[in-house]
Amino acid sequence: RNLTSITIPDSVTSIGLGAFMSCTSLTRIMIPDSVTSIGYCAFVDCINLASVTFGNSVTRIGDRAFKNCSSLTSVTIPESVTSIELWAFKECSSLTSVTIPNGVTGISGGAFAHTLSLTSFELGEDNANYTSEDGILFDKNKTELIHFPSGKSGHYTIPESVTKISDNAFQGCRNLTSVTIPNSVTSIEGF
């Protein structure tokens, strides 16, 4: 719990299961280019972690990797990342900015659930897999609503193009007062 800094050497290729779980004094981490995978609960409950710098080789951000890193304010995910897994950034309540790079092909349900300060998702200009409208994350064709930012409030009307609402798409949306679901929606995986 008293660990305040970490120097990860270039010999490390993977940060595994709970490697730095509950390191509550840790304030920032630099992940070297040698690391390709950040595993399950790697930095979960690092409540004072305010800065994460990712190396350019990370392809996978695992389940709950940064869950409850409540001091984290922004995340720039490198172009190398292809997968952001279940609850990867859940309960990062100070997170205001997330940029999804062009290479991401999989974002699991609830990856950004309960991020109460997040009001929009930013995407790379040439993202082939996802799009954002009014800050809301959809698949490229806007047939699947992937994630509604937890910090948005008021009423929301889902576009007519949407046929599927992804698992945990609205999880943690405390200030959302109502949602209009169009007849085009045939699958709701979870709220």
Side-chain angles (χ1 to χ4, degrees):
R1 291 186 187 259
N2 294 326
L3 183 65
T4 59
S5 67
I6 303 165
T7 301
I8 299 173
D10 289 338
S11 57
V12 174
T13 58
S14 177
I15 299 172
L17 170 75
F20 301 101
M21 178 186 287
S22 299
C23 288
T24 57
S25 297
L26 185 64
T27 59
R28 63 182 166 171
I29 183 76
M30 291 186 70
I31 298 168
D33 288 342
S34 59
V35 173
T36 60
S37 178
I38 300 170
Y40 177 83
C41 292
F43 295 95
V44 71
D45 295 330
C46 291
I47 59 172
N48 287 305
L49 184 63
S51 172
V52 175
T53 303
F54 291 95
N56 293 321
S57 300
V58 174
T59 59
R60 177 181 159 265
I61 300 174
D63 289 6
R64 299 167 179 87
F66 294 95
K67 182 180 178 281
N68 197 31
C69 289
S70 55
S71 294
L72 197 58
T73 58
S74 68
V75 173
T76 300
I77 298 167
E79 289 292 331
S80 57
V81 171
T82 58
S83 176
I84 303 170
E85 297 181 1
L86 178 70
W87 296 342
F89 294 95
K90 182 181 180 181
E91 297 169 355
C92 290
S93 56
S94 297
L95 195 61
T96 58
S97 172
V98 174
T99 302
I100 308 290
N102 294 335
V104 173
T105 57
I107 300 174
S108 295
F112 298 94
H114 294 276
T115 50
L116 304 178
S117 298
L118 185 66
T119 57
S120 70
F121 288 93
E122 303 297 324
L123 299 172
E125 289 182 21
D126 300 319
N127 199 300
N129 300 297
Y130 299 98
T131 191
S132 176
E133 180 180 289
D134 297 325
I136 298 150
L137 187 63
F138 297 91
D139 69 327
K140 189 65 174 180
N141 298 321
K142 271 194 352 190
T143 57
E144 181 176 359
L145 192 155
I146 306 291
H147 206 302
F148 189 89
S150 300
K152 280 192 167 286
S153 61
H155 171 79
Y156 179 63
T157 299
I158 296 172
E160 293 283 340
S161 60
V162 173
T163 59
K164 178 181 177 184
I165 298 171
S166 184
D167 190 31
N168 299 307
F170 289 93
Q171 188 179 59
C173 295
R174 295 179 182 168
N175 297 316
L176 186 63
T177 56
S178 62
V179 175
T180 300
I181 301 172
N183 290 334
S184 59
V185 173
T186 57
S187 175
I188 299 174
E189 292 188 354
F191 267 68

